[in-house]
Structure formats: C-alpha cells, structure tokens
Short mmCIF file of all heavy atoms in Angstrom, two decimals:
data_model
loop_
_atom_site.label_atom_id
_atom_site.label_comp_id
_atom_site.label_asym_id
_atom_site.label_seq_id
_atom_site.Cartn_x
_atom_site.Cartn_y
_atom_site.Cartn_z
N MET C 1 -4.77 12.50 34.56
CA MET C 1 -4.08 11.51 35.35
C MET C 1 -3.00 10.80 34.55
O MET C 1 -3.26 10.35 33.48
CB MET C 1 -5.12 10.51 35.92
CG MET C 1 -4.43 9.46 36.71
SD MET C 1 -5.73 8.38 37.48
CE MET C 1 -5.63 6.93 36.47
N GLY C 2 -1.83 10.63 35.03
CA GLY C 2 -0.79 10.05 34.26
C GLY C 2 -0.12 8.90 34.98
O GLY C 2 -0.14 8.92 36.22
N THR C 3 0.21 7.86 34.27
CA THR C 3 0.81 6.61 34.90
C THR C 3 1.98 6.27 33.97
O THR C 3 2.01 6.23 32.86
CB THR C 3 -0.26 5.52 34.76
OG1 THR C 3 -1.42 5.84 35.47
CG2 THR C 3 0.38 4.21 35.28
N LEU C 4 2.98 5.87 34.69
CA LEU C 4 4.31 5.31 34.09
C LEU C 4 3.96 3.79 33.66
O LEU C 4 3.42 3.18 34.46
CB LEU C 4 5.44 5.44 35.00
CG LEU C 4 5.99 6.76 35.26
CD1 LEU C 4 7.11 6.67 36.29
CD2 LEU C 4 6.37 7.55 34.06
N PHE C 5 4.32 3.53 32.40
CA PHE C 5 4.08 2.22 31.81
C PHE C 5 5.42 1.81 31.33
O PHE C 5 5.90 2.45 30.47
CB PHE C 5 2.86 2.28 30.93
CG PHE C 5 2.58 0.84 30.33
CD1 PHE C 5 2.10 -0.12 31.12
CD2 PHE C 5 3.18 0.54 29.17
CE1 PHE C 5 1.67 -1.38 30.62
CE2 PHE C 5 2.97 -0.70 28.67
CZ PHE C 5 2.33 -1.76 29.35
N SER C 6 5.88 0.54 31.60
CA SER C 6 6.98 -0.11 31.01
C SER C 6 6.58 -1.20 30.19
O SER C 6 5.72 -1.99 30.58
CB SER C 6 7.90 -0.45 32.17
OG SER C 6 8.35 0.64 32.86
N GLY C 7 7.42 -1.33 29.15
CA GLY C 7 7.19 -2.52 28.23
C GLY C 7 8.26 -2.61 27.18
O GLY C 7 9.15 -1.74 27.07
N TYR C 8 8.16 -3.55 26.33
CA TYR C 8 9.15 -3.77 25.31
C TYR C 8 8.98 -2.80 24.13
O TYR C 8 7.83 -2.64 23.59
CB TYR C 8 9.10 -5.23 24.74
CG TYR C 8 10.08 -5.43 23.63
CD1 TYR C 8 11.43 -5.59 23.92
CD2 TYR C 8 9.70 -5.48 22.29
CE1 TYR C 8 12.36 -5.79 22.84
CE2 TYR C 8 10.55 -5.71 21.29
CZ TYR C 8 11.85 -5.73 21.55
OH TYR C 8 12.80 -5.97 20.52
N CYS C 9 9.94 -2.06 23.83
CA CYS C 9 9.90 -1.08 22.79
C CYS C 9 10.64 -1.55 21.52
O CYS C 9 11.92 -1.85 21.64
CB CYS C 9 10.53 0.21 23.15
SG CYS C 9 10.61 1.42 21.84
N PRO C 10 10.05 -1.97 20.44
CA PRO C 10 10.63 -2.43 19.27
C PRO C 10 11.68 -1.48 18.62
O PRO C 10 12.56 -1.84 17.89
CB PRO C 10 9.60 -2.94 18.30
CG PRO C 10 8.41 -2.16 18.79
CD PRO C 10 8.50 -1.81 20.20
N GLU C 11 11.49 -0.19 18.80
CA GLU C 11 12.30 0.82 18.14
C GLU C 11 13.73 0.65 18.78
O GLU C 11 14.72 0.83 18.11
CB GLU C 11 11.65 2.17 18.56
CG GLU C 11 12.55 3.35 17.97
CD GLU C 11 12.56 3.40 16.34
OE1 GLU C 11 11.73 2.77 15.72
OE2 GLU C 11 13.44 4.11 15.87
N PHE C 12 13.81 0.43 20.08
CA PHE C 12 15.14 0.39 20.73
C PHE C 12 15.51 -1.13 21.05
O PHE C 12 16.55 -1.28 21.53
CB PHE C 12 15.07 1.18 22.14
CG PHE C 12 14.98 2.63 21.87
CD1 PHE C 12 13.79 3.28 21.92
CD2 PHE C 12 16.16 3.42 21.54
CE1 PHE C 12 13.81 4.76 21.65
CE2 PHE C 12 16.10 4.72 21.30
CZ PHE C 12 14.96 5.42 21.34
N GLY C 13 14.64 -2.06 20.94
CA GLY C 13 14.87 -3.41 21.26
C GLY C 13 15.12 -3.67 22.72
O GLY C 13 15.89 -4.62 23.00
N GLU C 14 14.40 -2.95 23.60
CA GLU C 14 14.56 -3.19 24.94
C GLU C 14 13.38 -2.56 25.71
O GLU C 14 12.56 -1.98 25.14
CB GLU C 14 15.92 -2.46 25.43
CG GLU C 14 15.85 -0.89 25.29
CD GLU C 14 17.17 -0.18 25.59
OE1 GLU C 14 18.21 -0.94 25.62
OE2 GLU C 14 17.08 0.98 25.87
N GLU C 15 13.26 -2.87 27.10
CA GLU C 15 12.31 -2.31 27.97
C GLU C 15 12.45 -0.81 28.04
O GLU C 15 13.62 -0.30 28.19
CB GLU C 15 12.35 -2.94 29.21
CG GLU C 15 12.05 -4.33 29.32
CD GLU C 15 10.61 -4.63 29.24
OE1 GLU C 15 9.77 -3.99 29.92
OE2 GLU C 15 10.21 -5.59 28.40
N ARG C 16 11.39 -0.07 27.81
CA ARG C 16 11.31 1.40 27.95
C ARG C 16 10.14 1.79 28.88
O ARG C 16 9.17 1.07 29.01
CB ARG C 16 11.16 2.06 26.72
CG ARG C 16 12.41 2.00 25.75
CD ARG C 16 13.48 2.91 26.32
NE ARG C 16 14.76 2.76 25.69
CZ ARG C 16 15.49 3.76 25.30
NH1 ARG C 16 15.11 4.96 25.52
NH2 ARG C 16 16.62 3.56 24.69
N THR C 17 10.15 2.93 29.44
CA THR C 17 9.03 3.50 30.24
C THR C 17 8.62 4.80 29.58
O THR C 17 9.46 5.62 29.26
CB THR C 17 9.62 3.80 31.71
OG1 THR C 17 10.05 2.55 32.23
CG2 THR C 17 8.49 4.32 32.56
N VAL C 18 7.26 4.89 29.48
CA VAL C 18 6.64 6.13 28.93
C VAL C 18 5.65 6.56 29.92
O VAL C 18 5.14 5.84 30.84
CB VAL C 18 6.00 5.81 27.56
CG1 VAL C 18 7.06 5.63 26.52
CG2 VAL C 18 5.04 4.81 27.61
N LEU C 19 5.17 7.77 29.87
CA LEU C 19 4.06 8.38 30.70
C LEU C 19 2.80 8.31 29.84
O LEU C 19 2.73 8.86 28.78
CB LEU C 19 4.30 9.74 31.06
CG LEU C 19 3.30 10.46 31.92
CD1 LEU C 19 3.08 9.73 33.26
CD2 LEU C 19 3.55 11.89 32.06
N ILE C 20 1.82 7.68 30.35
CA ILE C 20 0.57 7.53 29.49
C ILE C 20 -0.60 8.32 30.42
O ILE C 20 -0.72 8.00 31.58
CB ILE C 20 0.18 6.10 29.26
CG1 ILE C 20 1.16 5.35 28.29
CG2 ILE C 20 -1.29 5.96 28.65
CD1 ILE C 20 0.86 4.10 27.96
N ASN C 21 -1.24 9.23 29.78
CA ASN C 21 -2.31 9.87 30.44
C ASN C 21 -3.63 9.22 30.12
O ASN C 21 -3.96 8.65 29.04
CB ASN C 21 -2.35 11.32 29.92
CG ASN C 21 -1.13 12.18 30.24
OD1 ASN C 21 -0.69 12.16 31.32
ND2 ASN C 21 -0.29 12.56 29.35
N PHE C 22 -4.50 9.37 31.23
CA PHE C 22 -5.74 8.67 31.08
C PHE C 22 -6.82 9.74 31.29
O PHE C 22 -6.68 10.76 31.93
CB PHE C 22 -6.03 7.68 32.12
CG PHE C 22 -5.19 6.40 31.95
CD1 PHE C 22 -3.82 6.36 32.36
CD2 PHE C 22 -5.74 5.28 31.35
CE1 PHE C 22 -3.07 5.26 32.01
CE2 PHE C 22 -5.02 4.14 31.16
CZ PHE C 22 -3.67 4.10 31.48
N THR C 23 -7.98 9.50 30.67
CA THR C 23 -9.18 10.52 30.86
C THR C 23 -10.29 9.62 31.56
O THR C 23 -10.58 8.44 31.22
CB THR C 23 -9.67 10.93 29.37
OG1 THR C 23 -8.71 11.63 28.83
CG2 THR C 23 -10.89 11.81 29.54
N GLU C 24 -10.83 10.23 32.47
CA GLU C 24 -11.98 9.56 33.26
C GLU C 24 -13.19 9.48 32.45
O GLU C 24 -13.56 10.55 31.73
CB GLU C 24 -12.28 10.41 34.48
CG GLU C 24 -13.40 9.70 35.37
CD GLU C 24 -13.60 10.52 36.65
OE1 GLU C 24 -12.64 10.83 37.30
OE2 GLU C 24 -14.71 10.87 36.82
N ILE C 25 -13.86 8.45 32.36
CA ILE C 25 -15.10 8.24 31.55
C ILE C 25 -16.09 7.59 32.41
O ILE C 25 -15.87 6.66 33.15
CB ILE C 25 -14.86 7.30 30.36
CG1 ILE C 25 -14.26 5.92 30.63
CG2 ILE C 25 -14.03 7.95 29.27
CD1 ILE C 25 -14.24 4.97 29.57
N PRO C 26 -17.31 8.07 32.34
CA PRO C 26 -18.43 7.47 33.23
C PRO C 26 -18.88 6.26 32.53
O PRO C 26 -18.72 6.06 31.41
CB PRO C 26 -19.61 8.55 32.96
CG PRO C 26 -19.27 9.24 31.79
CD PRO C 26 -17.78 9.22 31.62
N ILE C 27 -19.25 5.20 33.51
CA ILE C 27 -19.66 3.88 33.01
C ILE C 27 -21.05 3.78 33.41
O ILE C 27 -21.38 3.72 34.67
CB ILE C 27 -18.77 2.78 33.59
CG1 ILE C 27 -17.32 2.95 33.07
CG2 ILE C 27 -19.30 1.40 33.35
CD1 ILE C 27 -16.37 1.98 33.55
N LEU C 28 -21.91 3.53 32.43
CA LEU C 28 -23.35 3.39 32.80
C LEU C 28 -23.68 2.31 33.79
O LEU C 28 -23.20 1.19 33.61
CB LEU C 28 -24.05 3.11 31.57
CG LEU C 28 -25.56 3.26 31.51
CD1 LEU C 28 -26.02 4.62 31.88
CD2 LEU C 28 -26.26 2.92 30.04
N GLY C 29 -24.33 2.56 34.87
CA GLY C 29 -24.77 1.51 35.85
C GLY C 29 -23.65 1.34 36.93
O GLY C 29 -23.86 0.49 37.72
N SER C 30 -22.54 2.14 36.83
CA SER C 30 -21.36 1.88 37.78
C SER C 30 -21.20 3.23 38.61
O SER C 30 -21.32 4.32 38.09
CB SER C 30 -20.21 1.57 37.08
OG SER C 30 -19.21 1.42 38.08
N ILE C 31 -20.83 3.23 39.89
CA ILE C 31 -20.62 4.28 40.72
C ILE C 31 -19.16 4.79 40.39
O ILE C 31 -18.87 5.99 40.37
CB ILE C 31 -20.71 4.00 42.22
CG1 ILE C 31 -22.29 3.59 42.56
CG2 ILE C 31 -20.24 5.13 43.08
CD1 ILE C 31 -22.44 3.02 43.90
N GLU C 32 -18.27 3.75 40.22
CA GLU C 32 -16.87 4.06 39.91
C GLU C 32 -16.71 4.40 38.38
O GLU C 32 -17.16 3.62 37.54
CB GLU C 32 -16.12 2.89 40.31
CG GLU C 32 -16.03 2.54 41.68
CD GLU C 32 -15.52 3.75 42.65
OE1 GLU C 32 -14.53 4.24 42.21
OE2 GLU C 32 -16.03 3.82 43.74
N PRO C 33 -16.00 5.43 38.05
CA PRO C 33 -15.71 5.76 36.65
C PRO C 33 -14.66 4.76 36.11
O PRO C 33 -13.96 4.15 36.87
CB PRO C 33 -15.10 7.17 36.73
CG PRO C 33 -14.35 7.32 38.02
CD PRO C 33 -15.28 6.43 38.96
N GLY C 34 -14.44 4.73 34.83
CA GLY C 34 -13.48 4.02 34.19
C GLY C 34 -12.51 5.04 33.62
O GLY C 34 -12.66 6.30 33.79
N TYR C 35 -11.28 4.52 33.13
CA TYR C 35 -10.26 5.44 32.65
C TYR C 35 -9.77 4.90 31.26
O TYR C 35 -9.55 3.68 31.06
CB TYR C 35 -9.08 5.56 33.59
CG TYR C 35 -9.48 6.24 34.90
CD1 TYR C 35 -10.03 5.53 36.02
CD2 TYR C 35 -9.41 7.57 35.04
CE1 TYR C 35 -10.42 6.19 37.07
CE2 TYR C 35 -9.84 8.31 36.14
CZ TYR C 35 -10.43 7.48 37.12
OH TYR C 35 -10.73 8.21 38.38
N LYS C 36 -9.72 5.63 30.24
CA LYS C 36 -9.32 5.40 29.03
C LYS C 36 -7.95 6.19 28.69
O LYS C 36 -7.82 7.33 28.89
CB LYS C 36 -10.30 5.71 28.00
CG LYS C 36 -10.10 5.37 26.66
CD LYS C 36 -11.27 5.52 25.63
CE LYS C 36 -11.07 5.09 24.29
NZ LYS C 36 -10.68 3.73 24.01
N LYS C 37 -7.11 5.40 28.00
CA LYS C 37 -5.78 6.10 27.53
C LYS C 37 -6.23 7.21 26.58
O LYS C 37 -6.95 7.12 25.81
CB LYS C 37 -4.84 5.00 26.85
CG LYS C 37 -4.51 3.84 27.49
CD LYS C 37 -3.75 2.85 26.75
CE LYS C 37 -4.70 2.20 25.75
NZ LYS C 37 -4.14 1.02 25.13
N SER C 38 -5.55 8.38 26.87
CA SER C 38 -5.73 9.45 26.07
C SER C 38 -4.53 10.13 25.21
O SER C 38 -4.62 10.68 24.12
CB SER C 38 -6.60 10.57 26.84
OG SER C 38 -5.72 10.99 27.98
N SER C 39 -3.40 10.03 25.91
CA SER C 39 -2.15 10.49 25.30
C SER C 39 -1.00 9.93 25.90
O SER C 39 -1.03 9.09 26.87
CB SER C 39 -2.14 12.06 25.42
OG SER C 39 -2.00 12.38 26.82
N LEU C 40 0.08 10.11 25.28
CA LEU C 40 1.41 9.52 25.53
C LEU C 40 2.49 10.47 25.65
O LEU C 40 2.49 11.40 24.70
CB LEU C 40 1.68 8.39 24.55
CG LEU C 40 3.18 7.92 24.45
CD1 LEU C 40 3.29 6.70 25.42
CD2 LEU C 40 3.37 7.43 23.02
N GLN C 41 3.45 10.44 26.46
CA GLN C 41 4.58 11.28 26.55
C GLN C 41 5.88 10.34 26.46
O GLN C 41 6.14 9.55 27.25
CB GLN C 41 4.72 12.05 27.78
CG GLN C 41 3.66 13.14 27.92
CD GLN C 41 3.85 13.92 29.14
OE1 GLN C 41 4.46 13.55 30.09
NE2 GLN C 41 2.92 15.04 29.17
N CYS C 42 6.54 10.57 25.28
CA CYS C 42 7.73 9.85 24.99
C CYS C 42 8.72 10.81 24.23
O CYS C 42 8.32 11.50 23.15
CB CYS C 42 7.52 8.62 24.09
SG CYS C 42 8.93 7.73 23.52
N ASP C 43 9.99 10.80 24.57
CA ASP C 43 10.97 11.66 23.98
C ASP C 43 11.22 11.29 22.54
O ASP C 43 11.81 12.12 21.79
CB ASP C 43 12.24 11.69 24.82
CG ASP C 43 12.12 12.43 26.18
OD1 ASP C 43 11.11 13.18 26.40
OD2 ASP C 43 12.82 12.10 27.12
N HIS C 44 10.90 10.20 22.15
CA HIS C 44 11.29 9.59 20.90
C HIS C 44 10.11 9.51 19.80
O HIS C 44 10.23 8.87 18.77
CB HIS C 44 12.03 8.28 20.93
CG HIS C 44 13.15 8.45 21.98
ND1 HIS C 44 14.33 9.04 21.58
CD2 HIS C 44 13.40 8.10 23.18
CE1 HIS C 44 15.23 9.04 22.55
NE2 HIS C 44 14.66 8.46 23.50
N LEU C 45 9.04 9.94 20.23
CA LEU C 45 7.66 9.78 19.44
C LEU C 45 7.85 10.18 17.94
O LEU C 45 7.42 9.52 17.08
CB LEU C 45 6.51 10.37 20.13
CG LEU C 45 5.17 10.25 19.50
CD1 LEU C 45 4.77 8.73 19.44
CD2 LEU C 45 4.13 11.14 20.11
N GLU C 46 8.34 11.48 17.75
CA GLU C 46 8.45 12.03 16.50
C GLU C 46 9.32 11.19 15.58
O GLU C 46 9.30 11.17 14.25
CB GLU C 46 8.89 13.39 16.56
CG GLU C 46 7.77 14.31 17.19
CD GLU C 46 6.39 14.31 16.50
OE1 GLU C 46 6.29 14.35 15.37
OE2 GLU C 46 5.42 14.19 17.26
N ASP C 47 10.41 10.67 16.10
CA ASP C 47 11.42 9.88 15.39
C ASP C 47 11.17 8.46 15.24
O ASP C 47 11.93 7.74 14.55
CB ASP C 47 12.83 10.16 15.93
CG ASP C 47 13.21 11.67 16.01
OD1 ASP C 47 12.85 12.38 15.09
OD2 ASP C 47 13.65 12.09 17.02
N CYS C 48 10.12 7.93 15.82
CA CYS C 48 9.90 6.41 15.90
C CYS C 48 9.41 5.95 14.62
O CYS C 48 8.38 6.52 14.04
CB CYS C 48 8.94 6.19 17.01
SG CYS C 48 8.67 4.40 17.33
N ARG C 49 9.95 4.83 14.11
CA ARG C 49 9.48 4.28 12.84
C ARG C 49 8.30 3.52 12.97
O ARG C 49 7.49 3.38 12.08
CB ARG C 49 10.53 3.25 12.31
CG ARG C 49 11.85 3.77 12.07
CD ARG C 49 12.91 2.64 11.81
NE ARG C 49 13.16 1.98 12.98
CZ ARG C 49 13.43 0.68 13.13
NH1 ARG C 49 13.46 -0.08 12.16
NH2 ARG C 49 13.58 0.11 14.33
N HIS C 50 7.83 3.21 14.18
CA HIS C 50 6.73 2.40 14.45
C HIS C 50 5.43 3.28 14.56
O HIS C 50 4.38 2.73 14.43
CB HIS C 50 6.83 1.47 15.81
CG HIS C 50 8.00 0.60 15.64
ND1 HIS C 50 7.80 -0.67 15.01
CD2 HIS C 50 9.24 0.65 15.95
CE1 HIS C 50 9.04 -1.38 14.93
NE2 HIS C 50 9.77 -0.53 15.58
N THR C 51 5.62 4.50 15.11
CA THR C 51 4.43 5.19 15.33
C THR C 51 4.10 6.28 14.19
O THR C 51 2.95 6.64 14.02
CB THR C 51 4.65 6.19 16.52
OG1 THR C 51 5.67 7.10 16.37
CG2 THR C 51 4.96 5.40 17.80
N GLY C 52 5.02 6.63 13.33
CA GLY C 52 4.67 7.59 12.35
C GLY C 52 4.37 8.89 12.99
O GLY C 52 3.67 9.74 12.38
N GLY C 53 4.81 9.15 14.26
CA GLY C 53 4.54 10.44 14.96
C GLY C 53 3.10 10.39 15.56
O GLY C 53 2.71 11.51 16.18
N ARG C 54 2.39 9.29 15.53
CA ARG C 54 1.13 9.25 16.10
C ARG C 54 1.19 8.41 17.50
O ARG C 54 1.61 7.25 17.41
CB ARG C 54 0.09 8.67 15.22
CG ARG C 54 0.02 9.55 13.90
CD ARG C 54 -1.08 9.15 13.14
NE ARG C 54 -2.31 9.46 13.83
CZ ARG C 54 -3.40 8.71 13.58
NH1 ARG C 54 -3.44 7.66 12.74
NH2 ARG C 54 -4.54 9.01 14.35
N GLU C 55 0.71 8.97 18.51
CA GLU C 55 0.72 8.36 19.82
C GLU C 55 -0.05 6.92 19.76
O GLU C 55 0.42 5.98 20.41
CB GLU C 55 0.04 9.17 20.85
CG GLU C 55 0.72 10.42 21.13
CD GLU C 55 -0.12 11.35 21.97
OE1 GLU C 55 -1.35 11.29 22.09
OE2 GLU C 55 0.43 12.39 22.55
N MET C 56 -1.10 6.88 19.16
CA MET C 56 -1.87 5.75 19.25
C MET C 56 -1.33 4.47 18.53
O MET C 56 -1.68 3.36 18.67
CB MET C 56 -3.31 5.87 18.52
CG MET C 56 -4.07 6.96 19.27
SD MET C 56 -5.69 7.43 18.50
CE MET C 56 -6.52 5.84 18.53
N ASN C 57 -0.21 4.72 17.69
CA ASN C 57 0.52 3.70 17.02
C ASN C 57 1.72 3.05 17.82
O ASN C 57 2.30 2.17 17.45
CB ASN C 57 1.01 4.16 15.72
CG ASN C 57 -0.03 4.50 14.74
OD1 ASN C 57 -1.24 3.99 14.81
ND2 ASN C 57 0.26 5.29 13.78
N CYS C 58 1.92 3.75 18.99
CA CYS C 58 3.04 3.29 19.82
C CYS C 58 2.84 1.92 20.35
O CYS C 58 1.78 1.83 21.02
CB CYS C 58 3.31 4.34 20.94
SG CYS C 58 4.56 3.84 22.09
N PRO C 59 3.78 0.98 20.26
CA PRO C 59 3.56 -0.34 20.80
C PRO C 59 3.25 -0.34 22.34
O PRO C 59 2.56 -1.05 22.84
CB PRO C 59 4.90 -1.09 20.48
CG PRO C 59 5.31 -0.40 19.23
CD PRO C 59 4.84 1.00 19.42
N LEU C 60 3.97 0.60 23.11
CA LEU C 60 3.78 0.69 24.44
C LEU C 60 2.34 1.11 24.79
O LEU C 60 1.72 0.82 25.85
CB LEU C 60 4.85 1.64 25.23
CG LEU C 60 6.24 0.92 25.10
CD1 LEU C 60 7.26 2.01 25.69
CD2 LEU C 60 6.32 -0.31 25.90
N PHE C 61 1.86 2.23 24.13
CA PHE C 61 0.55 2.77 24.29
C PHE C 61 -0.46 1.72 23.98
O PHE C 61 -1.44 1.52 24.75
CB PHE C 61 0.21 3.95 23.23
CG PHE C 61 -0.96 4.58 23.44
CD1 PHE C 61 -1.01 5.56 24.47
CD2 PHE C 61 -2.11 4.39 22.74
CE1 PHE C 61 -2.31 6.40 24.70
CE2 PHE C 61 -3.30 5.14 22.87
CZ PHE C 61 -3.35 6.06 23.85
N ILE C 62 -0.27 0.84 22.91
CA ILE C 62 -1.19 -0.23 22.66
C ILE C 62 -1.19 -1.30 23.68
O ILE C 62 -2.17 -1.83 24.09
CB ILE C 62 -0.82 -0.85 21.32
CG1 ILE C 62 -1.08 0.13 20.21
CG2 ILE C 62 -1.58 -2.13 21.15
CD1 ILE C 62 -0.39 -0.27 18.83
N GLN C 63 -0.01 -1.66 24.32
CA GLN C 63 0.21 -2.72 25.32
C GLN C 63 -0.51 -2.29 26.71
O GLN C 63 -1.05 -3.01 27.35
CB GLN C 63 1.69 -3.00 25.63
CG GLN C 63 2.39 -3.63 24.51
CD GLN C 63 3.84 -3.69 24.84
OE1 GLN C 63 4.25 -3.90 26.09
NE2 GLN C 63 4.67 -3.44 23.88
N CYS C 64 -0.49 -0.94 26.93
CA CYS C 64 -0.95 -0.37 28.19
C CYS C 64 -2.47 -0.69 28.30
O CYS C 64 -3.27 -0.18 27.43
CB CYS C 64 -0.71 0.96 28.49
SG CYS C 64 -1.12 1.65 30.00
N PRO C 65 -3.07 -1.37 29.38
CA PRO C 65 -4.54 -1.58 29.41
C PRO C 65 -5.24 -0.23 29.91
O PRO C 65 -4.79 0.62 30.59
CB PRO C 65 -4.69 -2.65 30.36
CG PRO C 65 -3.45 -2.43 31.33
CD PRO C 65 -2.43 -2.00 30.43
N ASP C 66 -6.53 -0.13 29.47
CA ASP C 66 -7.45 0.96 30.07
C ASP C 66 -7.93 0.32 31.39
O ASP C 66 -7.79 -0.90 31.57
CB ASP C 66 -8.70 1.03 29.21
CG ASP C 66 -8.33 1.76 27.85
OD1 ASP C 66 -7.37 2.61 27.85
OD2 ASP C 66 -8.84 1.40 26.92
N PHE C 67 -8.33 1.13 32.24
CA PHE C 67 -8.95 0.62 33.52
C PHE C 67 -9.92 1.54 33.99
O PHE C 67 -10.34 2.47 33.47
CB PHE C 67 -7.83 0.44 34.62
CG PHE C 67 -7.11 1.75 35.03
CD1 PHE C 67 -7.55 2.41 36.05
CD2 PHE C 67 -6.07 2.28 34.30
CE1 PHE C 67 -6.82 3.55 36.40
CE2 PHE C 67 -5.41 3.34 34.68
CZ PHE C 67 -5.78 4.17 35.74
#
C-alpha cells in the first residue's frame, strides 16, 4: 500500500511529495491491523546529502507517521 506524503525537504529547501509504502502488521488484541512505513520512492534519494542513499534517513520518511 502506498501513500503520497508531503513535507519540508531540507535538500531542496521546500515542500516536496514522496511515495511512502506501508506494510500491514497485526496488532495483538485488535481486529484492525496497523501499518508501518516500509519503503520510500523519491527520484533524488541516491543523491541526497541527508539520506546517504538510505530511505530510513529521509526527513520526509521520518516525518510521515505510521498508522
């Protein structure tokens, strides 16, 4: 499941939108599952000074909440 997420990107100094993919996770004692961020799609990930090429270091990935 993918969701578009917008937020401030320090690499560009402006609002940017990325696609964040979520993985369904079971929650003990709940009928409804939870969702955890699992990956990110950004055209500038490899060149970004803030990520070092790693999705989990992206400021937008960090800002996006799990649900």
Side-chain angles (χ1 to χ4, degrees):
M1 172 174 108
T3 300
L4 291 176
F5 180 78
S6 298
Y8 179 76
C9 174
E11 180 71 16
F12 291 96
E14 63 186 23
E15 292 286 313
R16 288 287 172 138
T17 300
V18 295
L19 179 67
I20 297 183
N21 296 303
F22 289 83
T23 300
E24 184 177 306
I25 55 170
I27 297 179
L28 191 61
S30 177
I31 297 172
E32 298 294 322
Y35 293 89
K36 183 170 179 62
K37 298 175 286 193
S38 58
S39 65
L40 163 87
Q41 291 180 345
C42 174
D43 294 338
H44 305 284
L45 183 66
E46 295 300 319
D47 302 322
C48 180
R49 297 172 292 149
H50 299 277
T51 65
R54 299 191 64 213
E55 298 170 339
M56 295 175 67
N57 295 337
C58 174
L60 293 176
F61 187 82
I62 294 167
Q63 291 173 39
C64 182
D66 292 325
F67 61 95

